Amino acid sequence: MPEIKHSLIETNGIGMHIAEKGRGPLVLLCHGFPESWYSWRHQLDALAAAGYRAVAPDMRGYGQTERPEAIDEYTLFHLVGDMVGVLDALGAETAVIAGHDWGAPVAWHAALLRPDRFRAVIGLSVPYRPRGKVRPTSVMPQTEDAVFYQLHFQTPGVADAELAHDVRATIQGVLVRLSGDAPPGTPSFSMVPRSASQRAAGQAPLPPLPNWLTQDDLDFYTEAFTRTGFTGGLNWYRNIDRNWELLAPFAGARVAVPALFVAGDRDLVMAFPGSKELVANLQTFVPQLRQTIILPGCGHWTQQERAAEVNAAMLDFLRGL
C-alpha cells in the first residue's frame, strides 16, 4: 500500500499541512491538544485499506500549518471554516468528519453548521455539548489554591512558557498521565495550583511509556512542539467564551447528520461535571446518533490507546451510512 502523502494546501486564508492516504469517499480527521495529524496514524492506514480517502490535517496553530498571531483567529468558526476549505481544496463535495479532544467540537460544529458538506460525524472523547446559558469560564471550578486547567490556559504567555520549558517532559507527562495506563495515584490534571512555585514543586516523576506510545512517537511530538511551541493550541482555549458568544444564534440547534461517539471510561472528560449525564442523553441533541461506545480501561487518547477498537467502530459506522 502507498505511503502517507504529505502536502500543503490553502484554506480559509492560511496554509495547511495535510497527511493523506487511500482513495475513495473522504474521511476528514481533526486532532486535539497537544497533538498533530500524527495522532491519526493508525486510522490513516486502516481507512485507506478499507477503501476510503483519509485526510488528517495539522490543525490551525499546529505542526506545519500556519499559526496566526491574533488570538481571535482561533474561534470555532475559523476552525470549521478551515475544514470546509480543505474539502474545497481537495475537490470534495462532502466528507465524513471525525474529531478527537478539541477536534471533536470542530467536527460536531462542522456537522451542525454545514450538514450539506459534512454528511456524518464521529466524535472521540468529547461529546457534542449544546450551548449553555452562561459563559463557560464563569462556571469552571476554582478554589483558593487551584484553578481548572482551562482557566489556567487563559492568560497569554503563562502556560505557553511552562509547557515549552521541557517539551519532551510535557508531552510524555500529558500523554501518559491522561491515559488509561496512568500509574495509580497520578495527580489529577484538571486542577492547576495558582502559584508558579507550587506548580513546579508538584511535578511528579515522568511515568514510563505504555505499550501504545513508543519512543519514536514521543520523538515526533517533541520535535513538532519544540519547533512550534504551544501557543497556537492554547489559543483555542482562549476563545472558549468568544465561541459561546458567536454561537448564540445556534442555541438549541441539534446535530442532524448520522453520528458515532466513542470514549474511554477513564477519560478525564468523562469526569467533568455533567459529562456522564450528557453522554447518556446525547441522542436528545444528536437525533441520528447511531451508537455510543465506552471503552473500558481507556483514557483520553482514544484512537491511539485503542487503535484496533476505534478503527473497527469507525469502519462499521462508515459502512452503515
Side-chain angles (χ1 to χ4, degrees), residues 173-187 207-208 210 212 266 297 299 305:
V174 171
L175 289 182
V176 180
R177 289 173 182 143
L178 297 189
S179 77
D181 299 289
T186 298
W212 57 268
R266 296 186 183 177
E305 291 185 52

Side-chain angles (χ1 to χ4, degrees), residues 207-245:
L209 299 186
N211 292 334
W212 57 268
L213 184 67
T214 69
Q215 288 292 343
D216 287 343
D217 299 334
L218 192 59
D219 289 344
F220 184 93
Y221 286 122
T222 300
E223 186 281 328
F225 284 97
T226 297
R227 181 170 49 82
T228 66
F230 293 87
T231 299
L234 289 169
N235 282 342
W236 293 40
Y237 291 91
R238 293 164 185 155
N239 280 281
I240 288 174
D241 282 345
R242 186 175 286 110
N243 290 333
W244 179 81
E245 295 172 2

